[in-house]
Amino acid sequence: MKVTAALAWWNEKPEDLAAAVRSLANIADRVVAIDGAYQRYPGGTAKSDPAQAAAIVAAAKAIGIECKIIPPDRPWRGEPEKRTRLMREAADGSDWIAVIDADMIVHADREAVRATLASDPTVDVYTVDVRTLPGPSAATQ
């Protein structure tokens, strides 16, 4: 069974991104992360500072999960376009997808979550405890 975390971000604190990814050790085998602002966002760019993607990659490596970064070549037309691309990439080879944001920390018992997902064919949605990091995001500062 493969669980993929789907992470959308733009202009976030590298330490927040790293914390979010480290928390994925509680549920995921890999993370697929997609960067970029929306066209209508004032001052939005296609890509964030490279330190942000580097923080995601380093955190994934530290916890031993696969990592794929999707760098766009232009700002996204809107959230539906960005999320659709993210979900398509995350679904490839996955049995389950966990959607998280850059300011979320996952709290779960990995073995219990995975046992339920693997053994109960009636489960099609599973909820875990997610806490939001305190303070404003880098994008709102």
Side-chain angles (χ1 to χ4, degrees):
M1 174 180 59
K2 183 174 252 183
V3 178
T4 297
L7 169 65
W9 99 92
W10 179 74
N11 197 26
E12 300 290 341
K13 295 176 187 174
E15 58 270 20
D16 288 355
L17 289 164
V21 172
R22 283 191 307 270
S23 79
L24 298 177
N26 294 321
I27 57 169
D29 302 297
R30 75 175 177 152
V31 59
V32 173
I34 194 164
D35 191 10
Y38 307 129
Q39 288 175 351
R40 295 183 63 177
Y41 191 89
T45 58
K47 295 177 187 162
S48 301
D49 183 304
Q52 295 170 35
I56 293 168
V57 171
K61 184 177 181 181
I63 62 169
I65 67 173
E66 298 172 38
C67 181
K68 180 177 183 177
I69 303 289
I70 303 167
D73 56 1
R74 60 171 174 73
W76 298 98
R77 287 188 294 263
E79 186 172 5
E81 179 188 38
K82 185 176 182 180
R83 293 284 179 170
T84 298
R85 173 75 187 279
L86 176 60
M87 296 307 283
R88 184 172 53 242
E89 296 282 346
D92 186 28
S94 298
D95 298 299
W96 289 89
I97 299 172
V99 179
I100 69 158
D101 284 330
D103 63 347
M104 292 180 174
I105 303 297
V106 176
H107 295 270
D109 177 333
R110 181 179 176 88
E111 298 310 316
V113 169
R114 295 177 75 81
T116 299
L117 296 179
S119 67
D120 189 345
T122 65
V123 172
D124 57 1
V125 175
Y126 192 86
T127 303
V128 297
D129 185 23
V130 177
R131 298 186 186 131
T132 303
L133 291 167
S137 70
T140 61
Q141 293 181 359

